[in-house]
């Protein structure tokens, strides 16, 4: 079984910094030998992280909201159309061993909240103090990373705990 | 077509105040002639709001995460098991014309976030300043109500806009 | 808790006879005091059954594949958009206490198969010998009704068993 | 983007012949360089096809009905828990470029029906004349293969058409 790291973040609303960080994150995830899972669309954090992973020869999975493979990032190797709209956010979370949220928007917020609800380890990256305060008020288990390298280190630790407990 | 107000809130983690407010909210929703929709389980805000609606002779719908009608509030008239776990949160939002979040937890946070994502009108009731600040940072469209009566007034206004635009 | 009878059948591909039978079925379901649940769209068996139920003052629920209330039968009282495409077929089955399939098509076939998979009682009405033979080869529990009155009688019996076992 | 062949078939109810054929099918799919997608559980056709693919060094994906990676075949590389029960059958179909049904049961029947509903190419293998007659009565597009080699040839042709049209 392969280890899957989910990178969640804004699509059309992603900032330049969100995308830049997501690209680095994708590269480092691939270099660890982990699979990268995203929401699969050809915009924002999903697209940037997948491109970063591909340039490091990683394997990428995209869980699409649409029933067909439309508007999919061309850096996705394994395209999983669901036809379930935002209900695919649940699958993004359940299929990832560790989740890194890069930036914040309403879709990303639903995914972080679902991670907390289902007990999945989640790391916040490039999140505002307001976002951090909110999710930490929901759960003591929310991690915050100050940069991409720290996020990867935290993912390693969290993955170790996942492997250990299974 | 009947108008449906979704009341979302914590289950096992609900506070006494959450449940007390939810009960009043359910009663007032029923008195308006609106249908009450909840996540259907026999705990917390879901259960309290449904009980409040029933004592005012309202009609109640519960969208369950389970495939069978287990652990369902006995104040639910129309039981919709989905077998989809937390993906039913998406249906809670899409099936409601207006959503009132009463209290806050990770499941409720996912629902408020999905409401913002899908453009559904949402009112926060009994939410902490931290929660209010977070959701208002995501969208200018989040409403905050100071008490149950104000939530109902806001729901009336929001419902008027929904009816007008359809 | 109210008893819900699901009527499943072709949409655009429904025959005149399918729709005629579905209308009568909807009327008789409403006269029994049962709720009618369908896939909610404004075509075929879904629409005809819902119209039949409304002319007998029944209450109708529609579980839509779309995220919005579009192309919905105007004979639906309680509109539940899911945004989940054909995955809503699973909800059609799980939310019904008894299912009557009226006519046959690929969507209806998926629903009858899911009913057998999940142990939900199902009655075939206006099904070809080929369809009957197939579903009876999958399960000894498939019922076949020769006319609308017989389908209602079988639904009464099946509902009695559901109530008894719960 | 990698090509994905979905192999659907009975779980606990699979016959020895179903599993034997599924194993060969998995092996040949892997030898073509295609990814194998199944329902992921550690029984029946899902498990046998995945084992066949692994012994030929193929890559295997499993779309699980459960929210956790439980009862999963240990021949699955990429585990996608959905927590959506039978609604994951829709994803099995939408994520596959071509579907081969090996044997028949109620779950498999729902998947073949959903493939016809969504226009996905589907090949029946080891299906009874009753099953063949039923699905061919639903659609002129159902293919029947007499053996594993013929199923692979048909999958090649169907995949060629998919690639051509996209």
């Amino acid at each position: 079984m392969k280890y899957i790291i989910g990178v969640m973040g804004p699509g059309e609303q992603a900032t330049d910094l969100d995308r830049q960080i997501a690209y680095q994150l994708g590269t480092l995830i691939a270099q660890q030998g982990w699979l990268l899972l995203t929401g699969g669309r050809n915009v924002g954090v999903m697209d940037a992280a997948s491109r970063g992973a591909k340039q490091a020869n990683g394997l990428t999975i995209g869980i699409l909201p649409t029933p067909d493979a439309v508007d999919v990032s061309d850096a996705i190797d394994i395209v999983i159309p669901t036809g379930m709209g935002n209900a695919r956010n649940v699958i993004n979370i359940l299929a990832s061993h560790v989740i890194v949220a890069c930036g914040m928007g309403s879709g990303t917020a639903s995914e972080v909240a679902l991670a907390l609800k289902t007990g999945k380890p989640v790391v916040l990256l490039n999140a505002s103090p307001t976002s951090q305060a909110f999710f930490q008020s929901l759960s003591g288990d929310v991690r915050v990373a100050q940069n991409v390298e720290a996020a990867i280190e935290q993912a390693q630790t969290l993955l170790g705990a996942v492997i250990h407990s299974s």
Side-chain angles (χ1 to χ4, degrees), chain A:
Chain A
M1 207 183 68
K2 294 178 185 297
Y3 292 106
I4 300 179
I5 307 296
V7 174
M8 308 295 136
E12 286 80 0
Q13 316 298 328
T15 64
D16 283 352
L17 184 58
D18 289 338
R19 280 191 298 266
Q20 215 174 301
I21 292 175
Y23 186 92
Q24 294 170 30
L25 195 56
T27 298
L28 290 175
I29 284 170
Q31 287 172 352
Q32 296 288 326
W34 300 330
L35 265 65
L36 172 70
L37 182 147
T38 68
R41 296 197 298 121
N42 59 358
V43 288
V45 163
M46 300 172 257
D47 187 56
S50 303
R51 289 186 185 287
K54 286 315 296 175
Q55 74 100 11
N57 294 314
L59 191 63
T60 55
I61 309 174
I63 310 287
L64 293 178
T66 48
D68 300 301
V70 293
D71 299 331
V72 51
S73 166
D74 55 20
I76 301 289
D77 298 309
I78 300 176
V79 177
I80 311 280
T82 67
M84 291 186 181
N86 291 300
R88 77 83 149 78
N89 294 8
V90 175
I91 304 176
N92 286 349
I93 295 310
L94 294 178
S96 300
H97 293 98
V98 174
I99 293 107
V100 182
C102 178
M104 190 55 64
S106 52
T108 309
S110 76
E111 291 164 318
V112 174
L114 288 164
L116 297 178
K117 177 75 180 174
T118 58
K120 284 279 177 177
V122 61
V123 178
L124 302 184
L125 185 60
N126 203 27
S128 69
T130 304
S131 298
Q132 295 176 24
F134 174 66
F135 287 114
Q136 289 177 331
S137 78
L138 293 182
S139 162
D141 283 342
V142 179
R143 278 82 174 179
V144 175
Q146 297 309 324
N147 54 48
V148 177
E149 290 74 18
I152 293 291
E153 267 176 50
Q154 297 199 33
Q156 284 171 325
T157 307
L158 292 165
L159 205 48
V162 169
I163 296 168
H164 226 76
S165 74
S166 68

